[in-house]
């Protein structure tokens, strides 16, 4: 009897050890999201002025995706698409969230969690309602990974809702550096700004504050700590830097170097270069920590941006325009993915990839089944990364039924193969480009190729009808 009991205990111990080993064998996932980083803002993409040695190292050791897209040309919608795998217009979150808190009167009555972006009376289209939160019923990456016992952390810029809709309300186990703002109060301690009689600050960063601390350094330090504390279990970390979003406030230890460095035709902003360099430095700290803790080989690391670079601050050339615009400079972004022994070093992937693809891809990495009820739009891109699959057999869509400043008016886009059609709702005109031959979108072929316009517009209209996204209407005179 004693022998049987002893064998039973040994069996339980071995079983538990096996389960723990199996759980730990699950790959870690580190998703690094840089705010407003342009397609040409790195060394590996060809900038001769900005310096990004650690991002370049990541690119050398992983795969560069040359045709990666954000699901929107502005931040909040893309962030929603990353977490849900859905096109943002499907969840009525097609533009950025301007409200800083739920009780701010920016077209939002207190307690009302939706707003309509207002526009000047001269505009021809009526506003479309847009949420200022990510609905709690949406299943996020963090919630999906819970099925495989991942510990999940979120650091930095959120911009998907106020308290009650923060990362910890959306499936994340831990968060820090999150606020209701789309940009930092300040990049310098104590990260605050005064509006009227109220001081707004990133409250969670006040503990452990170091004198002279720079926000990007603090977020990097928190990321290192998260990895160190959770090295014994599979984890998902989203490190969302506020940089390089405005305000353009450079780290004091780097700006003088770039002021003295020779500028290039397209890149010449020393303060912006210093901000990029500081992001790169902290990415280096994360990569070093993974290697030091012997987690590197079992961790997939992704570097990405939420939209194109901001025109006037940087240049996305040869891409046209920048953040907010329907052209490539607004939606095409840097993407690097490293996973040792899974993805060949130095691999170049020229297949169009979209931010909606991250959820199904991360679920595939963790061996999590995506539920049919989620109705996601993204695709698992592991066949592109692991093998030599040449395409994903799909079209890509964008829908922006809003105004942004005086130059960005409502539009929809379809990319089908090498063809890109932009549909303008205010002027009721189309622009047609062949991106294979004209990545700078200089030659509009819409008049020359009306049949191609009709073909692509039919696909676009079918997508709009099937997804139920809202279309802007002509505004009444009183608007």
């Amino acid at each position: 009897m004693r022998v049987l009991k002893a064998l039973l205990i040994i069996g339980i111990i071995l079983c538990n050890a096996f389960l723990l080993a199996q759980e730990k064998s699950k790959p870690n996932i580190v998703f690094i999201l840089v705010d407003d980083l342009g397609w040409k803002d790195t060394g590996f993409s060809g900038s001769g002025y900005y310096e990004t040695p650690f991002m370049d190292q990541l690119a050398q050791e992983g795969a560069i995706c040359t045709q990666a897209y954000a699901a929107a040309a502005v931040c909040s919608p893309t962030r929603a698409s990353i977490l849900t795998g859905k096109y943002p217009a499907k969840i009525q979150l097609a533009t950025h969230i301007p409200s800083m808190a739920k009780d701010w009167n920016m077209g939002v009555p207190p307690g009302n969690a939706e707003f309509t972006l207002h526009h000047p009376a001269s505009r021809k289209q009526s506003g479309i309602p847009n949420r200022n939160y990510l609905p709690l019923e949406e299943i996020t990456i963090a919630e999906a990974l819970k099925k495989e016992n991942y510990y999940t952390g979120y650091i930095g810029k959120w911009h998907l809702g106020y308290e009650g809709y923060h990362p910890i309300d959306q499936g994340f186990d831990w968060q820090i550096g999150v606020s209701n703002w789309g940009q930092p109060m300040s990049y310098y301690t104590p990260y605050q700004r005064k509006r009227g009689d109220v001081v707004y600050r990133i409250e969670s960063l006040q503990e452990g504050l170091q004198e002279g601390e720079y926000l990007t350094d603090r977020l990097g330090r928190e990321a290192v700590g998260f990895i160190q504390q959770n090295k014994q279990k599979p984890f998902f970390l989203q490190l969302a830097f506020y940089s390089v979003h405005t305000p353009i406030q450079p780290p004091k230890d780097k700006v003088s170097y770039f002021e003295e460095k020779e500028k290039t035709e397209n890149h010449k902003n020393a303060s912006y270069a210093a901000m990029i360099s500081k992001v790169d430095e902290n990415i280096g700290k994360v990569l070093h920590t993974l290697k030091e803790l012997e987690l590197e080989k079992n961790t997939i690391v992704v570097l990405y941006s939420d939209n194109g670079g901001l025109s006037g601050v940087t240049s996305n050339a040869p891409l046209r325009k920048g953040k907010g615009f329907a052209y490539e400079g607004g939606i095409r972004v840097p993407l690097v993915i490293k996973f040792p022994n899974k993805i060949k070093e130095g691999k170049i992937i020229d297949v169009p990839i979209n931010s909606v693809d991250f959820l199904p891809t991360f679920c595939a990495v963790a061996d999590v089944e995506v539920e049919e009820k989620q109705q996601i739009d993204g695709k698992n891109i592991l066949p592109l990364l692991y093998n030599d699959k040449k395409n994903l057999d799909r079209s890509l869509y964008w829908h922006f039924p809003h105004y942004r400043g005086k130059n960005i008016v409502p539009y929809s886009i379809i990319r089908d193969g090498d063809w890109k059609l932009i549909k303008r709702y205010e002027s009721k005109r189309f622009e047609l480009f062949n991106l294979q031959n004209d990545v700078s979108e200089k030659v509009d072929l819409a008049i020359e190729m009306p049949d191609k316009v009709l073909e692509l517009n039919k696909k676009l209209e079918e997508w709009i009808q099937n997804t139920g996204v809202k279309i802007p209407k002509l505004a009444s005179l009183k608007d």
Side-chain angles (χ1 to χ4, degrees):
M1 189 68 179
R2 289 181 179 177
V3 173
L4 184 61
K5 188 175 180 180
L7 290 173
L8 182 60
I9 293 171
I10 292 170
I12 292 172
I13 292 171
L14 290 174
C15 183
N16 287 338
F18 173 76
L19 290 173
L20 285 171
Q22 189 178 45
E23 181 180 273
K24 184 51 202 165
S25 70
K26 292 283 185 182
N28 305 306
I29 303 170
V30 175
F31 184 78
I32 302 170
L33 184 60
V34 187
D35 197 358
D36 287 3
L37 186 70
W39 191 62
K40 298 293 288 185
D41 284 355
T42 63
F44 67 80
S45 62
S47 177
Y49 182 58
Y50 306 142
E51 296 185 7
T52 56
F54 293 107
M55 296 189 213
D56 299 347
Q57 175 190 334
L58 193 66
Q60 291 168 4
E61 296 174 349
I64 301 174
C65 304
T66 62
Q67 298 193 55
Y69 288 98
V74 291
C75 48
S76 299
T78 299
R79 291 163 187 272
S81 72
I82 290 168
L83 288 170
T84 65
K86 294 183 179 181
Y87 284 120
K90 279 178 67 173
I91 50 180
Q92 298 179 52
L93 214 172
T95 190
H96 75 285
I97 297 173
S99 57
M100 309 305 183
K102 65 179 178 181
D103 54 353
W104 268 46
N105 185 20
M106 299 185 68
V108 190
N112 186 345
E114 295 188 358
F115 69 92
T116 298
L117 278 185
H118 295 288
H119 54 83
S122 60
R123 296 304 195 190
K124 298 178 182 178
Q125 305 287 336
S126 61
I128 296 292
N130 192 81
R131 287 191 169 102
N132 66 352
Y133 62 95
L134 179 65
L136 297 179
E137 59 266 27
E138 295 295 337
I139 299 174
T140 67
I141 291 173
E143 289 168 321
L145 295 180
K146 291 286 189 193
K147 299 173 187 176
E148 289 296 324
N149 299 316
Y150 273 73
Y151 188 78
T152 56
Y154 196 99
I155 298 174
K157 176 171 172 175
W158 176 242
H159 209 187
L160 287 173
Y162 45 81
E163 289 84 351
Y165 295 90
H166 275 180
I168 55 172
D169 305 300
Q170 300 282 9
F172 286 90
D173 296 302
W174 176 83
Q175 67 177 43
I176 197 166
V178 175
S179 73
N180 301 331
W181 296 62
Q183 62 189 64
M185 322 300 111
S186 168
Y187 280 100
Y188 306 105
T189 53
Y191 317 125
Q192 67 182 33
R193 179 186 301 160
K194 188 174 183 180
R195 286 286 186 105
D197 297 327
V198 181
V199 175
Y200 291 88
R201 60 170 62 88
I202 306 176
E203 295 293 346
S204 60
L205 294 185
Q206 301 311 303
E207 186 178 340
L209 202 64
Q210 295 182 0
E211 186 177 353
E213 185 177 79
Y214 190 70
L215 179 55
T216 306
D217 285 330
R218 176 63 184 278
L219 299 184
R221 178 156 59 91
E222 295 291 347
V224 168
F226 176 90
I227 294 169
Q228 290 171 335
Q229 292 166 22
N230 297 287
K231 61 184 178 181
Q232 300 296 338
K233 53 197 168 194
F235 60 79
F236 169 64
L237 171 63
Q238 183 157 335
L239 170 57
F241 289 107
Y242 285 89
S243 285
V244 287
H245 196 290
T246 55
I248 304 302
Q249 295 178 332
K252 295 180 176 65
D253 61 337
K254 290 184 176 292
V255 67
S256 60
Y257 169 80
F258 287 100
E259 286 175 338
E260 296 173 5
K261 184 177 179 180
E262 184 178 354
K263 314 298 190 290
T264 64
E265 180 181 357
N266 293 321
H267 295 157
K268 55 193 70 174
N269 187 324
S271 295
Y272 185 73
M275 292 177 74
I276 291 176
S277 179
K278 181 59 74 173
V279 169
D280 184 75
E281 177 184 301
N282 281 279
I283 289 173
K285 293 175 185 176
V286 170
L287 298 178
H288 174 76
T289 301
L290 292 172
K291 189 170 186 177
E292 184 179 52
L293 298 176
E294 299 183 350
L295 298 174
E296 181 183 27
K297 292 182 180 179
N298 195 39
T299 302
I300 183 169
V301 179
V302 178
L303 169 67
Y304 188 68
S305 176
D306 59 351
N307 49 247
L310 182 62
S311 299
V313 174
T314 190
S315 170
N316 300 297
L319 305 185
R320 185 174 175 180
K321 295 291 185 179
K323 178 178 180 177
F325 286 90
Y327 300 113
E328 293 293 284
I331 56 177
R332 194 182 289 209
V333 295
L335 172 60
V336 172
I337 306 175
K338 174 188 172 182
F339 197 1
N341 302 322
K342 295 284 189 178
I343 301 172
K344 291 180 183 177
E345 292 189 2
K347 187 169 186 175
I348 304 295
I349 297 174
D350 293 322
V351 179
I353 294 168
N354 191 280
S355 50
V356 296
D357 299 328
F358 290 121
L359 182 142
T361 302
F362 292 160
C363 284
V365 166
D367 198 24
V368 173
E369 184 178 354
V370 177
E371 298 179 29
E372 194 171 323
K373 68 178 181 180
Q374 291 179 246
Q375 297 182 326
I376 68 168
D377 299 298
K379 288 200 171 189
N380 170 18
I381 64 170
L382 291 185
L384 297 176
L385 298 169
Y386 292 176
N387 307 314
D388 292 314
K389 188 175 175 65
K390 300 300 181 184
N391 62 71
L392 291 174
D393 302 315
R394 61 161 177 195
S395 300
L396 293 176
Y397 301 92
W398 290 260
H399 185 58
F400 188 79
H402 302 285
Y403 289 88
R404 180 179 169 86
K406 64 179 181 179
N407 296 320
I408 300 172
V409 298
Y411 60 79
S412 293
I413 307 169
I414 176 175
R415 169 150 185 190
D416 186 65
D418 293 327
W419 293 99
K420 177 180 176 181
L421 182 75
I422 303 174
K423 181 174 187 173
R424 306 282 184 182
Y425 289 98
E426 190 174 273
S427 61
K428 297 187 177 180
R429 63 181 286 258
F430 295 95
E431 293 172 87
L432 177 68
F433 303 101
N434 185 295
L435 297 177
Q436 176 66 30
N437 303 323
D438 180 25
V439 72
S440 300
E441 296 170 290
K442 293 179 179 179
V443 183
D444 181 0
L445 301 170
I447 295 177
E448 182 182 333
M449 303 182 68
D451 289 344
K452 178 58 72 171
V453 171
L454 288 173
E455 174 195 334
L456 295 178
N457 186 51
K458 182 180 178 182
K459 288 185 177 183
L460 182 57
E461 290 291 333
E462 288 174 352
W463 175 79
I464 288 171
Q465 185 174 1
N466 291 336
T467 54
V469 301
K470 298 179 184 292
I471 300 298
K473 306 291 184 184
L474 284 174
S476 63
L477 292 177
K478 66 179 180 180
D479 288 337

